[in-house]
Amino acid sequence: MKKGTLYLIAILWAVIVILPFLWALRISLIPTYTTFVSFFPKSLSELSLVNYEYLLFKTKFPRWMINSVLVSGGATFLNVLACSMLGYVLARKRLPGSNVIFTLVLALLMVPYHILVIALYLGLSKVKLTNTLFGVILPLSANPFGVFLMRQYITMIPREYEEAALVDGCSRIGALFKIVLPQALPAVGILTVTMFMETWNNFILPLVMLTKDSMKTVTVGIADLAFQTLNTNWGVLMAGSLLGAVPTVLVFVLFNRYFLRGLTLHGGLK
Amino acid sequence: MFTISFTRWPIIGSPTFVGLKNYYRLLHDEIFLKALKNTLWYALITVPSITSFSFALALSLRGITWGREFFKAIYVFPMVVTLVSTAAIWKGMYLPFGPLNQLLVNLGFSPVEFLSVGLVIPSLCLVLIWRDIGYYSLFFLAGLEEIPSEILEAATVDGAGAFQRFRYIIWPMMKPVTLLVCILVTIGSFMIFTLVYVITGGGPAYSSEALLNYIYDVGWREFRMGYAAASAVIYFFILFGLNMFERLVFERG
């Protein structure tokens, strides 16, 4: 095919992908939603931030954002910690049963975690973790993909460095954090970015775990806004949808490279 | 999980053992069967369309050198945006007087009720397709980039047309990627929950209810945990079976 046609297809799809978001932006900037809005504003004075104001001061949206940041941040941090430790052990030490553990990790990769939500919910409500942020963080903090990623990466790192450190009197934990992890930085980067995205986007787990309005994460909050009875306030809903996506988009823009690599890796393993 | 599925457990109190009764009742539960049928429809529509369109998009992206990275970034963008946001935005797109219908009217068609009983499943699939094509095209693109261009050039010199090159060189080499995408989309379509939850809530009259939505409704609206667990077990085995089936088809074909 000719180059021109190819570019036409590529540009056309890019436009189709972007348009709904632009529409949402447009709707979020008009005070009251009416059905016949022209896509392009006639003048700048037509636009207003009323919806954003409403969102920030009349709803619990800021609180939801904070909750989401805490959950995603906490789960991501714990993931990096747990996955690198377990990955390290699986990569280095020949413990009895480590093969079994690794097979289990691989098996878990195949199971969509949605199926486990019931079991998770029942277990966590038994230890009174419903309606706490920790109850959402905990189940998300040891992702099988992360363990797999870290194990594979650490296996490729020569073990001579840490052995030298161990001989010099460094502890195992010290060797992991001071010697192995700095060498595994690309893997840690991929892990951090993918885990942040995944936990931020998580919906079903916070939906069942957090029922109190002030404890909700932003995803559940947006879904609530979408369900306001009778009159959905479209301007506010669109404003919330866009603001709720800002952190992941930011991470994507900043760490584009890690994210794209992580995506194909992640998919390739499933 | 399995053990819970053999019990009756209204959350408060302790579970009582009921044997296979949950499973028996599920097979006679109209709403469950409907959700099962809907979920299969979601998979049936999205798997072939996403796979073929993203393959086509990757093929055209391969011919582009200038600005390829830019397009890649745009194409994964819907994947980056929280699914709930996407769902809310598309809920707006599908409004009776929303932008899509305005577009249709401007083009001279009559407006369509996107979320009516007959159209709701294709409409929801469209969101999924819109969101996923760009993302999966990156998988195909990565696969295409691994095909050495010498082979393709050699084939061209030997007089192979575009179709022949595709049929005898590109397709056989892309089979593993295609299988992977098929499996991922199947899993993805089975995990459809958020879209349904936000856009339709399973309605009208359960016509868009997916299996996960059903499980959620039974578990957290009616608080019948044992019953919900039983449907989750069935859900798991169907998904597992479908993946095995796809593997078989690709290994044969």
Side-chain angles (χ1 to χ4, degrees):
Chain A
M1 261 193 279
K2 279 205 199 101
K3 272 255 149 74
T5 339
L6 297 181
Y7 269 105
L8 201 67
I9 296 172
I11 292 171
L12 190 70
W13 188 250
V15 169
I16 292 175
V17 160
I18 292 302
L19 267 182
F21 296 111
L22 290 182
W23 178 78
L25 184 66
R26 176 79 183 94
I27 296 299
S28 76
L29 288 173
I30 44 176
T32 41
Y33 173 73
T34 46
T35 44
F36 297 101
V37 210
S38 64
F39 191 79
F40 297 102
K42 288 183 196 72
S43 66
L44 274 178
S45 59
E46 213 182 293
L47 306 175
S48 86
L49 290 173
V50 176
N51 293 318
Y52 290 90
E53 245 169 62
Y54 182 89
L55 195 68
L56 292 179
F57 299 110
K58 296 267 171 63
T59 65
K60 289 225 158 63
F61 192 80
R63 179 72 222 218
W64 297 334
M65 282 298 254
I66 294 170
N67 288 341
S68 264
V69 169
L70 288 176
V71 166
S72 312
T76 307
F77 176 73
L78 286 177
N79 252 310
V80 172
L81 209 65
C83 294
S84 42
M85 281 161 106
L86 187 53
Y88 177 65
V89 171
L90 290 178
R92 284 289 189 265
K93 289 229 158 183
R94 291 260 141 256
L95 291 177
S98 63
N99 276 333
V100 179
I101 296 179
F102 189 56
T103 318
L104 271 179
V105 170
L106 287 183
L108 269 181
L109 270 175
M110 316 269 179
V111 183
Y113 81 94
H114 296 67
I115 298 173
L116 303 172
V117 163
I118 298 176
L120 278 176
Y121 175 78
L122 291 173
L124 289 165
S125 54
K126 224 174 234 172
V127 287
K128 300 263 182 308
L129 278 177
T130 46
N131 267 323
T132 60
L133 293 182
F134 191 62
V136 182
I137 295 175
L138 196 61
L140 295 176
S141 59
N143 191 296
F145 160 69
V147 178
F148 183 82
L149 176 75
M150 292 312 290
R151 182 212 175 252
Q152 298 307 80
Y153 204 91
I154 292 175
T155 318
M156 293 191 306
I157 297 172
R159 54 171 76 203
E160 278 75 24
Y161 292 106
E162 16 166 338
E163 271 161 11
L166 288 174
V167 170
D168 286 347
C170 185
S171 66
R172 269 281 170 197
I173 297 278
L176 170 61
F177 284 105
K178 283 186 200 137
I179 308 217
V180 178
L181 281 193
Q183 294 182 71
L185 223 48
V188 175
I190 295 175
L191 184 65
T192 313
V193 172
T194 28
M195 286 309 114
F196 183 82
M197 297 267 184
E198 231 161 71
T199 38
W200 187 277
N201 291 341
N202 201 320
F203 181 63
I204 194 165
L205 192 64
L207 179 71
V208 300
M209 291 296 296
L210 311 168
T211 46
K212 238 199 284 166
D213 208 25
S214 60
M215 293 309 283
K216 281 173 179 165
T217 59
V218 82
T219 44
V220 184
I222 293 172
D224 271 9
L225 287 179
F227 271 126
Q228 266 164 1
T229 38
L230 297 174
N231 275 321
T232 307
N233 192 337
W234 286 101
V236 174
L237 178 58
M238 292 301 118
S241 303
L242 291 175
L243 281 188
V246 164
T248 42
V249 172
L250 215 61
V251 168
F252 171 66
V253 171
L254 292 177
F255 305 102
N256 192 344
R257 176 163 308 192
Y258 284 133
F259 181 68
L260 287 181
R261 268 174 75 190
L263 274 189
T264 31
L265 253 180
H266 199 170
L269 297 172
K270 252 183 191 156
Chain B
M1 198 69 210
F2 281 98
T3 22
I4 305 168
S5 74
F6 296 120
T7 61
R8 199 169 75 89
W9 194 355
I11 281 203
I12 310 152
S14 53
T16 38
F17 184 77
V18 292
L20 285 171
K21 209 168 150 200
N22 281 332
Y23 290 95
Y24 177 79
R25 287 217 346 247
L26 268 178
L27 293 179
H28 298 267
D29 184 337
E30 263 179 44
I31 301 171
F32 173 76
L33 294 177
K34 182 132 205 184
L36 182 63
K37 207 178 82 193
N38 290 341
T39 310
L40 289 176
W41 270 116
Y42 285 126
L44 216 59
I45 297 175
T46 53
V47 174
S49 51
I50 291 178
T51 312
S52 50
F53 284 136
S54 52
F55 201 164
L57 193 63
L59 282 173
S60 59
L61 211 52
R62 200 179 82 105
I64 287 175
T65 37
W66 189 81
R68 192 195 277 185
E69 294 303 312
F70 170 76
F71 284 118
K72 273 160 92 173
I74 297 275
Y75 290 170
V76 287
F77 192 72
M79 263 323 201
V80 176
V81 172
T82 314
L83 183 55
V84 181
S85 299
T86 308
I89 290 169
W90 275 87
K91 195 178 184 179
M93 301 287 287
Y94 283 145
L95 280 174
F97 298 103
L100 276 183
N101 267 330
Q102 283 178 36
L103 186 73
L104 283 180
V105 170
N106 286 343
L107 292 176
F109 296 97
S110 51
V112 173
E113 217 177 303
F114 287 105
L115 300 179
S116 59
V117 175
L119 273 180
V120 67
I121 288 184
S123 299
L124 290 175
C125 284
L126 186 68
V127 183
L128 218 57
I129 293 169
W130 168 83
R131 178 175 184 256
D132 285 3
I133 285 180
Y135 170 66
Y136 287 116
S137 73
L138 297 191
F139 285 66
F140 283 116
L141 189 63
L144 285 174
E145 278 166 352
E146 271 167 31
I147 299 179
S149 51
E150 290 85 21
I151 299 183
L152 290 173
E153 279 157 19
T156 320
V157 172
D158 289 347
F163 175 75
Q164 282 168 320
R165 279 199 305 258
F166 180 79
R167 174 68 189 80
Y168 295 105
I169 300 172
I170 299 179
W171 172 241
M173 291 187 88
M174 293 299 283
K175 245 188 208 169
V177 185
T178 316
L179 169 66
L180 173 72
V181 172
C182 275
I183 290 179
L184 288 178
V185 179
T186 311
I187 295 177
S189 64
F190 263 70
M191 292 203 290
I192 192 168
F193 170 77
T194 315
L195 278 181
V196 177
Y197 182 91
V198 174
I199 296 181
T200 65
Y206 297 106
S207 57
S208 64
E209 182 102 330
L211 273 180
L212 273 178
N213 296 81
Y214 178 79
I215 295 171
Y216 172 78
D217 284 348
V218 172
W220 285 276
R221 292 230 168 97
E222 300 167 22
F223 298 109
R224 289 150 68 200
M225 282 299 163
Y227 200 55
S231 32
V233 169
I234 294 185
Y235 165 90
F236 172 69
F237 279 115
I238 292 172
L239 185 53
F240 188 73
L242 268 181
N243 284 342
M244 286 295 133
F245 172 74
E246 278 170 355
R247 246 169 244 264
L248 263 180
V249 167
F250 272 84
E251 269 158 27
R252 287 272 172 76

